Each structure stands twice: as C-alpha cells, then as structure tokens.
Amino acid sequence: MNTDYRYQLENKKLTGKRQQKFTCPHCGKKKCFVRYVDTHNGNQYVAEDVGKCDHQHSCGYHYKPGEYYRDNQWAHEPDTGRHCTPVPLPPFQPIPEEYVSRSHSPSSVFWHWFSNEVASKLALSSERVLRIYDDYHIGATRRGNVIFWQIDHEGLVHGGHIMQYRIDGHRDGFQGWTHVPLIKTGLLPPDWQLYQCLFGQHLLCKRLDAHVCLVESEKTALVMAACQPQHLWLATAGSGGLSPEKMACLKGRKLTLFPDSGCYEKWKDQMSLIDGIDYNIDNHLESYPPNTDLCDILLDSP
C-alpha cells in the first residue's frame, strides 16, 4: 500500500472494502461524495465534509484535509508519531468584482420569496428591502438560483455561494460556487483555491460602531438584518466556519454568536481558540429541535 500521502480518498485498493459514497454536503446529491481517510490512523475518515464530489462541473466541491485542519484549528490531527508535511496551498487570488456587478439581480427565486413573503411577514418597507439587496450584493444565476457573495473588509471578492431555493423559502438541494464555471471556462486558473470569508464582511468598515451578530446561514443573516437593522448581521456559511483566519476581521468588535440548535458546544470550542474578540454565545436555541435557527423562529411565529 502506498503511504507516501497520509490522506487519500477512500478506495477499495486502499481499504480492502467497497468504496463508500455519501451525500455531498454542497450539492445535496446522494451517493456521489467520497471522503478522505487517514492512512496513518487506521483509514478513519477525517471529517464528514472532507472529501470530493463526483460532479466536478455542476458542483465542484473538493475539501482537502489540509484545508480542513487550517480552517478548524480546534480539530487537532491525530498524533501518530509520524511527520506529515502539509501541502502548500495556492495564494489567495480574488475574483474580479465585475462578476459581482453582473450578477446583481433580483431575479432569483430566493429574492422573490424574500421581497414578497418575508417583507409581508415582517411589514418591511420597499426601501428596507432594497437596502438589504444592495448592501449584501445579492446576485442571481441565469437559472434563478441566488448568489451570496463573500466579500472581505477590503472589498476583495473571495467567492460566490450559489444556492437553490423553492418559492416557499426552503432550500431545494443544489449548492455550488461561482468559481467552478469560471475555472471550467478558463476565466480563473485551474489551481484556483477558495479561501472563504464571512458573508457580509465588507460591511464592517461601513458600520464601525454596530454590534456584530453572527449566524450560520446567509438566509438567516438577511432576515435578521431586516428585522434588527440596528445590528450588523454576518454569516459563516457553515457550522465549521469559525477559523481564526476568518474571524480575525472581528478583532476589536463586540460580537454575539447565534449557533443553530445542536451547534452551541462546537462553536464554543472553536471560539476558545480565537483571541482578541469581545464576544458572547447565545444558547437559547438549544431548547429547540436540531438545526433550528433564528430565522425559523422568527418566520414561524404567529
């Protein structure tokens, strides 16, 4: 067995067992996601979301072990007594801002739901809705999927999270990233690497005195921004998104975190490794069913 590379995608030759394929954490399709195993630790899986999707063109999700341990410093690599040299990652290369401008459109199914159903439920003015749409640079694909752009506090575009929603405001399974078709068409280099930042991070420099509130999903950040505009609402775009690199922009700011139910302890552990942020973690969602967030409570209330 070749052990030159500690982490490898699971395969029959490596493990002696039939390759397991799981549901992709990004596109939501079943039996297309292969996880990485640790060959120095009994071929155990690294983490549920560390692997590669078979649908390279329509999804393109590929989360490598080195990136996982970079993003989640609380998740220490198993100590096997053997040295594992990390593979250097390509330097950050921002996506040209013109793609954000081109996609800035209210034509997504998500935004139709937001500007109608959410606006009616929360009695939002058209000015408030337009302000949120412009502030967060909401985009749309030609197929009507929404694009949540990740732009940092220096105005650099890190990526665009594409998500498909139904007319009732619930996700319809598909997730993707704007860099996938850009790489496919040669507009980005083939080794381009996604370095995520917080959704809404670009607003930090515009609202220097605002109390920052952090949630997991972009949808929740937008709904809460409409409901409580006195605060600045950001999103991690995933429960494992509290890496020191991503959170460094919040140093010196007052922060309240609102993890989805079931994620309180995970976020607490991740934040314990981050210094320089005045924060507290709200745990009142823990009394609700798993994966409940502020948006669920707000929109489901009479």
Side-chain angles (χ1 to χ4, degrees):
M1 180 181 67
N2 184 0
T3 56
D4 292 340
Y5 299 99
R6 174 172 178 173
Y7 302 105
Q8 297 187 42
L9 291 169
E10 183 184 27
N11 60 78
K12 185 175 182 179
K13 182 182 296 186
L14 181 68
T15 63
K17 299 183 296 182
R18 181 181 178 183
Q19 184 187 60
Q20 295 289 316
K21 290 196 175 184
F22 302 87
T23 299
C24 178
H26 270 251
C27 68
K29 295 181 180 178
K30 297 180 180 179
K31 298 183 179 180
C32 66
F33 183 66
V34 181
R35 294 180 183 172
Y36 276 97
V37 296
D38 184 349
T39 63
H40 293 184
N41 194 32
N43 291 326
Q44 294 187 23
Y45 294 122
V46 176
E48 291 184 356
D49 58 347
V50 178
K52 184 177 182 180
C53 181
D54 289 342
H55 303 288
Q56 297 184 29
H57 297 308
S58 61
C59 176
Y61 182 78
H62 188 187
Y63 195 24
K64 301 176 182 178
E67 299 165 25
Y68 171 77
Y69 288 116
R70 178 201 67 192
D71 295 340
N72 301 277
Q73 295 187 11
W74 55 273
H76 302 292
E77 291 190 76
D79 184 8
T80 61
R82 301 180 65 172
H83 180 64
C84 178
T85 304
V87 178
L89 298 172
F92 167 63
Q93 178 181 345
I95 292 176
E97 193 277 334
E98 64 181 284
Y99 295 114
V100 178
S101 301
R102 287 183 191 176
S103 75
H104 189 46
S105 166
S107 61
S108 70
V109 174
F110 171 86
W111 194 252
H112 178 78
W113 166 79
F114 188 97
S115 58
N116 288 276
E117 301 300 323
V118 175
S120 176
K121 173 76 175 181
L122 302 180
L124 302 177
S125 67
S126 57
E127 290 78 10
R128 175 77 62 80
V129 172
L130 181 60
R131 176 71 177 271
I132 294 171
Y133 168 72
D134 285 334
D135 281 352
Y136 287 88
H137 301 292
I138 304 302
T141 69
R142 294 177 181 177
R143 295 184 176 182
N145 296 328
V146 66
I147 304 176
F148 298 123
W149 289 102
Q150 294 184 1
I151 306 171
D152 68 21
H153 53 291
E154 296 180 346
L156 301 177
V157 183
H158 286 237
H161 194 191
I162 303 172
M163 301 185 72
Q164 183 176 359
Y165 281 87
R166 300 194 301 264
I167 58 174
D168 61 1
H170 293 288
R171 277 171 46 188
D172 203 20
F174 174 80
Q175 293 190 64
W177 292 89
T178 54
H179 65 270
V180 174
L182 293 178
I183 292 174
K184 181 181 177 182
T185 55
L187 296 173
L188 287 176
D191 64 344
W192 190 92
Q193 178 66 48
L194 173 65
Y195 291 86
Q196 293 191 56
C197 68
L198 298 173
F199 173 68
Q201 183 174 319
H202 61 284
L203 297 173
L204 287 170
C205 58
K206 297 181 179 180
R207 302 186 60 186
L208 297 176
D209 298 323
H211 186 98
V212 179
C213 297
L214 188 63
V215 295
E216 179 177 334
S217 81
E218 299 97 334
K219 169 186 171 181
T220 300
L222 295 174
V223 171
M224 295 308 300
C227 181
Q228 298 183 9
Q230 69 273 26
H231 302 314
L232 175 54
W233 292 86
L234 309 181
T236 62
S239 63
L242 301 181
S243 67
E245 291 80 8
K246 285 177 68 173
M247 299 295 286
C249 62
L250 298 178
K251 290 185 177 181
R253 303 294 295 256
K254 291 185 177 182
L255 171 69
T256 300
L257 299 97
F258 295 91
D260 293 359
S261 58
C263 290
Y264 174 78
E265 291 297 332
K266 182 176 183 179
W267 279 28
K268 183 179 177 181
D269 289 343
Q270 291 178 358
M271 288 302 297
S272 69
L273 299 173
I274 302 174
D275 299 320
I277 300 177
D278 180 8
Y279 73 92
N280 64 82
I281 307 179
D282 188 284
N283 67 351
H284 87 275
L285 288 174
E286 290 299 288
S287 61
Y288 289 86
N291 301 315
T292 301
D293 64 11
L294 291 176
C295 181
D296 297 325
I297 297 173
L298 180 65
L299 297 183
D300 291 343
S301 63

Short mmCIF file of all heavy atoms in Angstrom, two decimals, residues 7 13 15 32 40 46 52 55 75 95 114 124 130 138 148-149 157 161-162 181 194 197 219 241 270 283 295:
data_model
loop_
_atom_site.label_atom_id
_atom_site.label_comp_id
_atom_site.label_asym_id
_atom_site.label_seq_id
_atom_site.Cartn_x
_atom_site.Cartn_y
_atom_site.Cartn_z
N TYR A 7 -3.18 11.29 3.69
CA TYR A 7 -4.62 11.38 3.48
C TYR A 7 -4.95 11.05 2.03
O TYR A 7 -4.40 11.64 1.10
CB TYR A 7 -5.13 12.77 3.83
CG TYR A 7 -4.82 13.16 5.26
CD1 TYR A 7 -3.82 14.07 5.55
CD2 TYR A 7 -5.55 12.61 6.31
CE1 TYR A 7 -3.54 14.42 6.86
CE2 TYR A 7 -5.27 12.95 7.62
CZ TYR A 7 -4.26 13.86 7.89
OH TYR A 7 -3.99 14.20 9.19
N LYS A 13 -8.83 -0.43 -3.20
CA LYS A 13 -7.44 -0.85 -3.16
C LYS A 13 -6.77 -0.42 -1.85
O LYS A 13 -5.92 -1.13 -1.30
CB LYS A 13 -6.68 -0.26 -4.35
CG LYS A 13 -5.21 -0.69 -4.43
CD LYS A 13 -4.51 -0.05 -5.61
CE LYS A 13 -5.10 -0.51 -6.92
NZ LYS A 13 -4.31 0.02 -8.07
N THR A 15 -8.43 0.37 1.20
CA THR A 15 -9.04 -0.14 2.43
C THR A 15 -9.40 -1.63 2.37
O THR A 15 -9.67 -2.23 3.41
CB THR A 15 -10.32 0.65 2.74
OG1 THR A 15 -11.29 0.44 1.69
CG2 THR A 15 -10.02 2.13 2.87
N CYS A 32 -22.54 10.40 -4.16
CA CYS A 32 -21.59 10.99 -5.10
C CYS A 32 -20.38 11.59 -4.40
O CYS A 32 -19.51 12.15 -5.05
CB CYS A 32 -22.28 12.07 -5.95
SG CYS A 32 -22.82 13.50 -5.02
N HIS A 40 -2.59 6.84 8.25
CA HIS A 40 -1.73 6.64 9.42
C HIS A 40 -2.56 6.37 10.67
O HIS A 40 -2.00 6.23 11.76
CB HIS A 40 -0.85 7.87 9.65
CG HIS A 40 0.16 8.08 8.57
ND1 HIS A 40 1.11 9.09 8.63
CD2 HIS A 40 0.37 7.44 7.41
CE1 HIS A 40 1.85 9.05 7.54
NE2 HIS A 40 1.43 8.06 6.78
N VAL A 46 -11.56 11.57 7.98
CA VAL A 46 -11.09 12.80 8.59
C VAL A 46 -12.26 13.56 9.22
O VAL A 46 -12.26 13.89 10.40
CB VAL A 46 -10.38 13.68 7.55
CG1 VAL A 46 -9.95 15.01 8.16
CG2 VAL A 46 -9.16 12.94 6.99
N LYS A 52 -14.47 14.71 -1.79
CA LYS A 52 -14.62 15.24 -3.14
C LYS A 52 -15.91 14.73 -3.77
O LYS A 52 -16.25 13.56 -3.67
CB LYS A 52 -13.42 14.80 -3.99
CG LYS A 52 -13.40 15.34 -5.42
CD LYS A 52 -12.14 14.91 -6.14
CE LYS A 52 -12.06 15.49 -7.55
NZ LYS A 52 -10.82 15.06 -8.24
N HIS A 55 -19.43 15.12 -9.05
CA HIS A 55 -19.97 16.06 -10.04
C HIS A 55 -19.06 17.29 -10.13
O HIS A 55 -19.34 18.35 -9.56
CB HIS A 55 -21.39 16.46 -9.67
CG HIS A 55 -22.33 15.28 -9.52
ND1 HIS A 55 -22.78 14.56 -10.60
CD2 HIS A 55 -22.86 14.70 -8.42
CE1 HIS A 55 -23.57 13.58 -10.17
NE2 HIS A 55 -23.63 13.64 -8.86
N ALA A 75 -9.62 21.16 15.68
CA ALA A 75 -9.64 19.73 15.33
C ALA A 75 -8.21 19.27 15.08
O ALA A 75 -7.71 19.30 13.97
CB ALA A 75 -10.50 19.50 14.08
N ILE A 95 -11.61 37.10 -6.89
CA ILE A 95 -12.43 37.05 -8.10
C ILE A 95 -12.69 38.49 -8.55
O ILE A 95 -12.97 39.35 -7.72
CB ILE A 95 -13.75 36.32 -7.82
CG1 ILE A 95 -13.49 34.85 -7.54
CG2 ILE A 95 -14.72 36.46 -9.00
CD1 ILE A 95 -14.73 34.06 -7.17
N PHE A 114 -38.09 36.48 -0.59
CA PHE A 114 -37.71 37.45 0.43
C PHE A 114 -38.46 38.77 0.27
O PHE A 114 -39.00 39.30 1.24
CB PHE A 114 -36.20 37.70 0.37
CG PHE A 114 -35.67 38.54 1.50
CD1 PHE A 114 -35.11 37.93 2.61
CD2 PHE A 114 -35.73 39.92 1.46
CE1 PHE A 114 -34.63 38.70 3.67
CE2 PHE A 114 -35.25 40.69 2.50
CZ PHE A 114 -34.69 40.08 3.61
N LEU A 124 -42.05 45.00 6.10
CA LEU A 124 -40.88 45.77 5.68
C LEU A 124 -41.26 46.74 4.58
O LEU A 124 -42.05 46.43 3.69
CB LEU A 124 -39.80 44.83 5.14
CG LEU A 124 -39.29 43.74 6.08
CD1 LEU A 124 -38.26 42.87 5.36
CD2 LEU A 124 -38.68 44.34 7.34
N LEU A 130 -34.85 47.04 -0.45
CA LEU A 130 -33.85 47.45 -1.44
C LEU A 130 -32.49 47.68 -0.78
O LEU A 130 -31.45 47.34 -1.36
CB LEU A 130 -34.31 48.72 -2.15
CG LEU A 130 -33.37 49.27 -3.23
CD1 LEU A 130 -33.18 48.23 -4.33
CD2 LEU A 130 -33.92 50.58 -3.80
N ILE A 138 -26.72 40.99 -3.37
CA ILE A 138 -27.39 39.74 -3.71
C ILE A 138 -27.38 39.52 -5.22
O ILE A 138 -27.74 40.40 -6.00
CB ILE A 138 -28.84 39.76 -3.20
CG1 ILE A 138 -28.87 40.02 -1.70
CG2 ILE A 138 -29.53 38.44 -3.52
CD1 ILE A 138 -28.09 39.02 -0.88
N PHE A 148 -24.80 34.27 -3.00
CA PHE A 148 -24.39 35.00 -1.80
C PHE A 148 -22.90 35.25 -1.92
O PHE A 148 -22.09 34.35 -1.69
CB PHE A 148 -24.70 34.20 -0.54
CG PHE A 148 -26.17 33.92 -0.32
CD1 PHE A 148 -26.63 32.62 -0.18
CD2 PHE A 148 -27.09 34.96 -0.25
CE1 PHE A 148 -27.97 32.35 0.04
CE2 PHE A 148 -28.44 34.71 -0.04
CZ PHE A 148 -28.88 33.40 0.11
N TRP A 149 -22.52 36.48 -2.27
CA TRP A 149 -21.11 36.80 -2.47
C TRP A 149 -20.40 36.99 -1.14
O TRP A 149 -20.93 37.61 -0.22
CB TRP A 149 -20.97 38.06 -3.31
CG TRP A 149 -21.35 37.87 -4.75
CD1 TRP A 149 -22.51 38.25 -5.35
CD2 TRP A 149 -20.56 37.23 -5.75
NE1 TRP A 149 -22.50 37.88 -6.68
CE2 TRP A 149 -21.30 37.26 -6.96
CE3 TRP A 149 -19.29 36.64 -5.76
CZ2 TRP A 149 -20.83 36.73 -8.15
CZ3 TRP A 149 -18.81 36.10 -6.95
CH2 TRP A 149 -19.57 36.15 -8.12
N VAL A 157 -13.20 40.08 -3.43
CA VAL A 157 -14.22 39.04 -3.59
C VAL A 157 -13.58 37.67 -3.42
O VAL A 157 -12.72 37.28 -4.21
CB VAL A 157 -14.90 39.15 -4.97
CG1 VAL A 157 -16.01 38.11 -5.08
CG2 VAL A 157 -15.46 40.55 -5.19
N HIS A 161 -21.36 31.93 -3.19
CA HIS A 161 -22.06 30.70 -2.79
C HIS A 161 -23.40 30.66 -3.50
O HIS A 161 -24.27 31.50 -3.26
CB HIS A 161 -22.24 30.70 -1.26
CG HIS A 161 -22.64 29.39 -0.70
ND1 HIS A 161 -23.06 29.24 0.61
CD2 HIS A 161 -22.69 28.15 -1.25
CE1 HIS A 161 -23.35 27.97 0.82
NE2 HIS A 161 -23.13 27.28 -0.28
N ILE A 162 -23.57 29.68 -4.39
CA ILE A 162 -24.80 29.55 -5.16
C ILE A 162 -25.73 28.56 -4.47
O ILE A 162 -25.32 27.45 -4.12
CB ILE A 162 -24.50 29.04 -6.59
CG1 ILE A 162 -23.51 29.98 -7.29
CG2 ILE A 162 -25.79 28.92 -7.40
CD1 ILE A 162 -23.02 29.44 -8.63
N PRO A 181 -17.67 27.29 -12.59
CA PRO A 181 -17.76 27.58 -14.02
C PRO A 181 -16.67 28.54 -14.51
O PRO A 181 -16.27 28.47 -15.68
CB PRO A 181 -19.15 28.21 -14.17
CG PRO A 181 -19.51 28.72 -12.82
CD PRO A 181 -18.87 27.77 -11.86
N LEU A 194 -10.37 28.30 -3.20
CA LEU A 194 -11.36 29.07 -2.46
C LEU A 194 -10.88 29.32 -1.03
O LEU A 194 -10.60 28.37 -0.29
CB LEU A 194 -12.69 28.33 -2.43
CG LEU A 194 -13.80 28.93 -1.54
CD1 LEU A 194 -14.23 30.29 -2.07
CD2 LEU A 194 -14.99 27.97 -1.45
N CYS A 197 -14.45 33.92 3.32
CA CYS A 197 -14.54 34.93 4.37
C CYS A 197 -15.99 34.95 4.83
O CYS A 197 -16.83 34.21 4.32
CB CYS A 197 -14.08 36.30 3.88
SG CYS A 197 -15.15 37.08 2.63
N LYS A 219 -29.18 33.19 4.54
CA LYS A 219 -30.61 33.47 4.60
C LYS A 219 -30.98 34.07 5.94
O LYS A 219 -31.69 35.09 6.00
CB LYS A 219 -31.39 32.18 4.35
CG LYS A 219 -32.88 32.26 4.65
CD LYS A 219 -33.53 30.89 4.50
CE LYS A 219 -34.96 30.88 5.01
NZ LYS A 219 -35.58 29.52 4.88
N GLY A 241 -17.34 27.19 10.24
CA GLY A 241 -16.70 28.36 9.64
C GLY A 241 -16.07 29.34 10.59
O GLY A 241 -15.87 30.51 10.23
N GLN A 270 -14.66 26.17 19.14
CA GLN A 270 -13.94 26.89 18.10
C GLN A 270 -13.55 28.30 18.56
O GLN A 270 -12.43 28.75 18.30
CB GLN A 270 -14.80 26.96 16.84
CG GLN A 270 -15.00 25.62 16.15
CD GLN A 270 -15.89 25.71 14.92
OE1 GLN A 270 -16.40 26.78 14.59
NE2 GLN A 270 -16.08 24.60 14.25
N ASN A 283 -27.21 30.77 23.75
CA ASN A 283 -27.52 29.34 23.73
C ASN A 283 -29.01 29.04 23.85
O ASN A 283 -29.39 27.89 24.08
CB ASN A 283 -26.77 28.62 24.86
CG ASN A 283 -27.26 29.02 26.24
OD1 ASN A 283 -28.04 29.96 26.38
ND2 ASN A 283 -26.79 28.33 27.25
N CYS A 295 -34.01 32.44 12.10
CA CYS A 295 -34.96 32.66 11.01
C CYS A 295 -36.19 31.77 11.16
O CYS A 295 -37.32 32.20 10.95
CB CYS A 295 -34.27 32.41 9.68
SG CYS A 295 -35.30 32.68 8.23
#
